[in-house]
């Protein structure tokens, strides 16, 4: 193995060799970018977005906003996302050197920090969706601004995931001046300190706003906003569990306008080994009220026995799922004496009907479950 490494180099060496010409290109742009005024530097963001829009205008993308999206199965949607990402990646790569040079100059002017060459390499690695391993003190927080800015130019939003609320708040305040100088908005997704929680309040959200100076230094430059507004910013910082619970809550909503997170586009995960390995061992659970009675189970069991596969419901054994057809929905409404099965007040019935159908069609005794001593 060491002989091969001597001949062709380590993986790190090969990656560095591949990306180094881009670093040199960014460095050559530095002097020209430094001559720009603050307004001209800020205008670069609009210029980049126009160039991206022109490049992507020739491509038609199917997205979750299109009704046709929901006619595709999981694998097809995944492939559509990959295709879109590949095309977008190619367009972003074309402006990467100039965009990174602009971020470097904005950082120098606002927070008095200039990205080193190794940090430019780290930014490119993150942009490619790979893991950038950097030692403590090598400036990971600053590195993230490069890939975050570049991917935020699409207008589809970027999430920066941290391990705790303090880091989310600190990083947003620390790096906020860079994004603000370039015309990007920054949001912060926060949990609520128990000592500060008001009745019914589970979380807070803030918008980075240089005009706001508060007495409490923890929230300097952070203005309270709605959860949805924080997610609609160009770059949203937050703790991993906050993103996770918001994802679960969104999947419990009944109306599209009640969703908070929006589209999932690009995320940078800080301390990725901790979040995706260690933290992932603890499941996130949102509990609901316990059933007061099991009578509903027996009632819906009798209802689904009167439905027929084909006209009333379809079975997808590969996805291990059962879904009602339009005719099946009408028949269920007749049997349950409800006007609209998908009314918000009846959503619990929909869940139980689907579960009852799955039990009848997909679960077999002594294969998927056993009965012993009547249980």
């Amino acid at each position: 193995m060491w002989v091969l490494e001597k001949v062709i180099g380590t993986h790190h060496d090969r990656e560095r060799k591949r990306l180094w010409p881009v670093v040199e290109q960014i460095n050559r742009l530095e002097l020209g970018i430094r001559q720009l005024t603050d307004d001209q530097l800020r205008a670069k963001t609009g210029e980049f977005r126009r160039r991206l829009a022109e490049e992507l205008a020739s491509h038609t993308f199917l997205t979750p906003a299109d009704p046709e999206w929901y006619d595709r199965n999981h694998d097809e949607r995944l492939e559509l996302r990959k295709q879109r990402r590949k095309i977008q990646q190619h367009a972003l790569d074309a402006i990467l050197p100039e965009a990174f040079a602009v971020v470097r100059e904005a950082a120098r002017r606002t927070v008095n920090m200039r990205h080193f060459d190794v940090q430019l390499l780290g930014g490119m690695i993150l942009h490619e969706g790979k893991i950038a391993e950097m030692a403590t003190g090598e400036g990971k927080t600053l590195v993230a601004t490069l890939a975050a800015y570049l991917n935020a130019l699409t207008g589809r939003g970027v999430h920066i995931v941290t391990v705790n609320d303090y880091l989310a708040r600190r990083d947003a305040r620390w790096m906020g001046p860079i994004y603000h100088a370039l015309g990007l908005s920054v949001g912060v997704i926060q949990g609520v300190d128990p000592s500060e929680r008001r009745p019914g309040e589970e979380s807070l959200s803030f918008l980075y706003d240089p005009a706001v100076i508060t007495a409490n230094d923890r929230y300097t430059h952070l203005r309270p906003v709605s959860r949805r507004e924080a997610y609609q910013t160009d770059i949203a910082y937050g703790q991993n569990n906050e993103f996770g619970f918001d994802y679960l809550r969104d999947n419990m909503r009944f109306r599209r306008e009640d969703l908070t997170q929006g589209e999932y586009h690009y995320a940078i995960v800080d301390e990725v080994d901790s979040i995706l390995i260690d933290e992932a061992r603890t499941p996130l659970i949102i509990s609901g009220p316990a059933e007061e009675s099991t009578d509903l189970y027996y009632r819906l069991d009798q209802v689904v026995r009167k439905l027929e596969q084909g006209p009333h419901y379809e079975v997808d054994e590969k996805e291990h799922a059962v879904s009602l057809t339009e005719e099946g929905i009408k028949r269920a409404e007749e049997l349950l004496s409800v006007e609209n099965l998908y009314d918000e007040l009846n959503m619990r019935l929909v869940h139980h009907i689907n579960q009852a159908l799955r039990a009848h069609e997909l679960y077999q005794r002594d294969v998927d479950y056993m009965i012993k001593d009547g249980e």
Side-chain angles (χ1 to χ4, degrees):
M1 181 63 71
W2 67 270
V3 175
L4 282 175
E5 289 183 355
K6 282 286 186 182
V7 175
I8 65 175
T10 63
H11 177 73
H12 172 78
D13 293 333
R14 295 194 298 274
E15 285 291 281
R16 185 179 182 277
K17 184 177 180 180
R18 177 177 69 87
L19 297 173
W20 193 252
V22 184
V23 173
E24 293 178 332
Q25 188 178 353
I26 297 168
N27 288 335
R28 287 195 296 270
L29 292 168
E30 185 170 15
L31 185 58
I33 295 294
R34 190 165 291 190
Q35 306 305 314
L36 300 176
T37 65
D38 290 347
D39 288 341
Q40 289 172 327
L41 191 68
R42 185 186 183 94
K44 280 290 183 180
T45 297
E47 177 190 326
F48 292 146
R49 282 180 160 164
R50 284 192 297 273
R51 285 161 59 180
L52 272 177
E54 290 170 3
E55 177 68 24
L56 298 175
S58 59
H59 302 280
T60 302
F61 300 110
L62 191 63
T63 72
D66 302 310
E68 296 87 350
W69 175 267
Y70 301 96
D71 295 332
R72 310 298 181 92
N73 62 36
H74 174 76
D75 292 338
E76 290 173 331
R77 294 177 190 174
L78 188 61
E79 188 58 35
L80 287 170
R81 285 193 175 101
K82 287 181 179 178
Q83 291 173 4
R84 185 181 188 185
R85 178 65 185 169
K86 185 177 180 180
I87 293 170
Q88 179 182 284
Q89 187 94 356
H90 179 74
L92 288 172
D93 288 345
I95 63 172
L96 184 149
E98 195 172 355
F100 275 29
V102 164
V103 176
R104 173 193 262 181
E105 178 60 19
R108 189 187 69 83
R109 295 185 188 186
T110 57
V111 296
N112 197 29
M113 301 173 73
R114 176 185 175 276
H115 298 78
F116 293 108
D117 290 349
V118 67
Q119 292 174 316
L120 298 178
L121 288 171
M124 284 184 270
I125 292 294
L126 290 178
H127 167 62
E128 293 180 352
K130 300 175 182 176
I131 297 174
E133 184 177 4
M134 305 183 76
T136 300
E138 285 191 323
K140 292 179 291 183
T141 305
L142 188 63
V143 168
T145 60
L146 297 163
Y149 172 78
L150 180 62
N151 284 272
L153 292 172
T154 62
R156 298 171 62 198
V158 169
H159 295 161
I160 298 184
V161 186
T162 64
V163 292
N164 58 52
D165 280 343
Y166 165 75
L167 288 176
R169 200 163 51 235
R170 184 205 70 176
D171 292 355
R173 289 171 51 203
W174 191 9
M175 299 294 107
I178 300 174
Y179 301 124
H180 184 261
L182 296 174
L184 298 187
S185 57
V186 180
V188 187
I189 313 299
Q190 292 279 269
V192 177
D193 188 294
S195 63
E196 300 174 355
R197 183 180 290 124
R198 290 174 295 193
E201 189 175 52
E202 296 178 344
S203 56
L204 289 173
S205 50
F206 298 93
L207 197 66
Y208 174 82
D209 186 347
V212 176
I213 302 292
T214 66
N216 186 344
D217 184 60
R218 289 187 308 157
Y219 300 121
T220 299
H221 298 321
L222 298 180
R223 172 168 57 85
V225 294
S226 69
R227 197 81 162 174
R228 184 184 177 91
E229 187 177 352
Y231 272 114
Q232 289 177 337
T233 55
D234 293 306
I235 298 168
Y237 284 84
Q239 192 249 5
N240 61 303
N241 282 346
E242 292 299 316
F243 284 114
F245 278 119
D246 283 338
Y247 172 82
L248 294 178
R249 293 186 191 104
D250 273 1
N251 278 271
M252 297 168 66
R253 308 293 186 195
F254 302 124
R255 300 180 301 173
R256 182 184 293 273
E257 54 268 29
D258 292 334
L259 300 180
T260 58
Q261 286 190 327
E263 184 182 5
Y264 304 111
H265 165 230
Y266 178 83
I268 296 174
V269 183
D270 187 20
E271 297 192 35
V272 65
D273 52 342
S274 172
I275 289 177
L276 296 187
I277 298 176
D278 301 332
E279 293 287 331
R281 296 174 184 173
T282 305
L284 302 180
I285 299 172
I286 293 181
S287 59
E291 292 290 344
E292 296 179 359
S293 170
T294 57
D295 290 345
L296 183 61
Y297 297 143
Y298 294 107
R299 180 185 172 198
L300 293 179
D301 177 68
Q302 295 301 315
V303 167
V304 299
R305 290 177 185 275
K306 298 176 182 178
L307 302 179
E308 299 178 13
Q309 183 177 349
H312 295 145
Y313 61 89
E314 298 174 347
V315 179
D316 186 339
E317 294 187 2
K318 180 182 177 182
E319 296 290 334
H320 209 65
V322 179
S323 58
L324 287 169
T325 64
E326 289 291 334
E327 188 177 338
I329 293 172
K330 292 178 182 178
R331 178 61 176 153
E333 288 172 345
E334 292 173 2
L335 295 170
L336 291 168
S337 300
V338 297
E339 185 175 340
N340 180 6
L341 188 61
Y342 284 87
D343 185 275
E344 185 172 340
L345 297 174
N346 297 325
M347 289 304 291
R348 194 177 72 159
L349 295 177
V350 177
H351 170 73
H352 285 303
I353 288 176
N354 287 332
Q355 291 299 90
L357 286 171
R358 290 183 68 200
H360 278 282
E361 294 293 336
L362 299 173
Y363 291 88
Q364 301 177 32
R365 181 171 176 170
D366 297 328
V367 175
D368 300 290
Y369 68 95
M370 295 186 297
I371 295 179
K372 184 178 181 180
D373 298 330
E375 297 182 350

